[in-house]
């Protein structure tokens, strides 16, 4: 009796390896995305532009990053120019991109490169990781893309492609180490930067989370998940815990001359150094009006604006009720402990302030109630 026939899904595969990488690089040369921080295949990239783009792309889409990247390089074309800028100016230009600790680290990193490395980015992963705001992924991306070092950045796109190429069955996040090790086995000694960017592009354009385009994928012959028909089920993700909610009351104070009261947040922590509409503590339950008014910047007649402002941060959902008041130009805040961190900004100048998205929503919500 002959050996049992194998179905298509059981066919032994050639495991992904150097031939897979060669096919991927050929595809990259023809199909790569044209992005403002990119240089052509086999070309040397500017470490400043690579670093800036990688910091901006953390947790943020390419589409959202492009105008910010262009604005930053037009204003600060190199790391020395960025180091010479004021932090507040950098925060202002960053406003709207979110995850503001990145902007503070951006400035701190530019300062460190100029101070400690004569304005030249170090080229190894180890040295890059010593710089503010540069974690393992970003260090590997800069080392590979800007300097051609044999380093393996693994972002969400690459994680997905690798988990499918090798049909990794362990759920994330536990599978991260296995995926990183598998990705490293593919990284070529030459053209590590092109390989990293090719994997990023493949994940963004072909090996998408839903409906991956396996039929046109350059690495399909070596893809274990595609052969087994399980591509869309990978990577497997461990169930997430529900995001908690926090609540607070924001005080939108307007002067009769049109100025709005803003407060600077502490440098450390969430939205550090950004401006905000003064508010109560953001706690597990909404404060009563009586509790809230103890945190109000001025004693006046407050109007509660109907409907809360809801904003979703990575780790929690925030619900802010907006209280609004109009006060005379000579309104006194002398008893309020926070006044040193406050300033009046005319509403026509609000767009130029380092206001995070949640505070823009609060201001718009309060003013729409006029
Ligand atoms: Fe992704 Fe399909 Fe390509 Fe495999 S063959 S890498 S699942 S697009």
């Amino acid at each position: 009796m002959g050996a049992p026939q194998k179905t298509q899904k059981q066919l032994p595969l050639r495991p992904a390896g150097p031939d897979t990488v060669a096919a991927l690089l050929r595809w990259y040369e023809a199909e790569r995305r044209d992005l403002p921080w990119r240089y052509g295949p086999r070309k040397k990239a500017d470490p400043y532009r690579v670093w800036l783009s990688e910091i901006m792309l953390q947790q943020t889409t390419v589409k959202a990053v492009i105008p910010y990247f262009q604005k930053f390089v037009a204003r600060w074309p190199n790391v020395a120019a960025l180091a010479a800028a004021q932090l507040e100016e950098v925060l202002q230009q960053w406003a709207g991109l979110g995850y503001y600790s990145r902007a503070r680290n951006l400035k701190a990193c530019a300062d460190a490169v100029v101070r400690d490395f004569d304005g030249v980015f170090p080229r190894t992963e180890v040295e890059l990781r010593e710089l503010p705001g540069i974690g393992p992924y970003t260090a590997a991306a800069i080392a590979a893309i800007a300097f051609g070092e044999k380093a393996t950045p693994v972002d969400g796109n690459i994680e997905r492609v690798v988990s499918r190429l090798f049909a990794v069955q362990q759920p994330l996040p536990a599978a991260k180490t296995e995926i990183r090790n598998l990705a490293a086995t593919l990284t070529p000694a030459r053209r590590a930067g092109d390989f990293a960017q090719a994997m990023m592009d493949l994940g963004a354009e072909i090996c998408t989370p839903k409906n991956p385009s396996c039929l046109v994928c350059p690495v399909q012959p070596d893809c274990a998940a595609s052969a087994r028909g399980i591509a869309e089920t990978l990577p497997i993700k461990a169930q997430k815990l529900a995001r908690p909610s926090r609540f607070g009351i924001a005080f939108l104070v307007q002067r009769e001359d049109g100025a709005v009261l803003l407060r600077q947040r502490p440098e450390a922590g969430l939205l550090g150094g950004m401006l905000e509409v003064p508010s109560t503590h953001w706690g597990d339950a909404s404060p009563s009006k009586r509790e809230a008014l103890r945190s109000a910047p001025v004693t006046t007649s407050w109007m509660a604006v109907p409907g809360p402002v809801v904003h979703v941060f990575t780790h929690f959902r925030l619900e802010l009720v907006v209280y609004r008041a109009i006060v005379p130009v000579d309104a006194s805040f002398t008893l309020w402990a926070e006044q040193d961190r406050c300033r009046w900004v005319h509403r026509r100048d609000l767009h130029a302030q380092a206001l995070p998205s949640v505070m823009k929503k609060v201001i718009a919500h309060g003013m729409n109630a006029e």
Side-chain angles (χ1 to χ4, degrees), residues 161 164-165 202 206-207 212-214 217 219-220 223 225-226 231:
V161 173
R164 290 174 177 175
L165 267 176
L202 192 76
I206 304 282
C207 193
S213 306
C214 299
C217 177
V219 298
Q220 194 275 338
C223 179
S226 174

Side-chain angles (χ1 to χ4, degrees), residues 163-181:
S163 73
R164 290 174 177 175
L165 267 176
F166 293 93
V168 174
Q169 297 297 313
Q170 192 183 21
L172 286 169
K176 278 183 180 290
T177 306
E178 182 186 359
I179 291 173
R180 225 180 359 255
N181 291 341

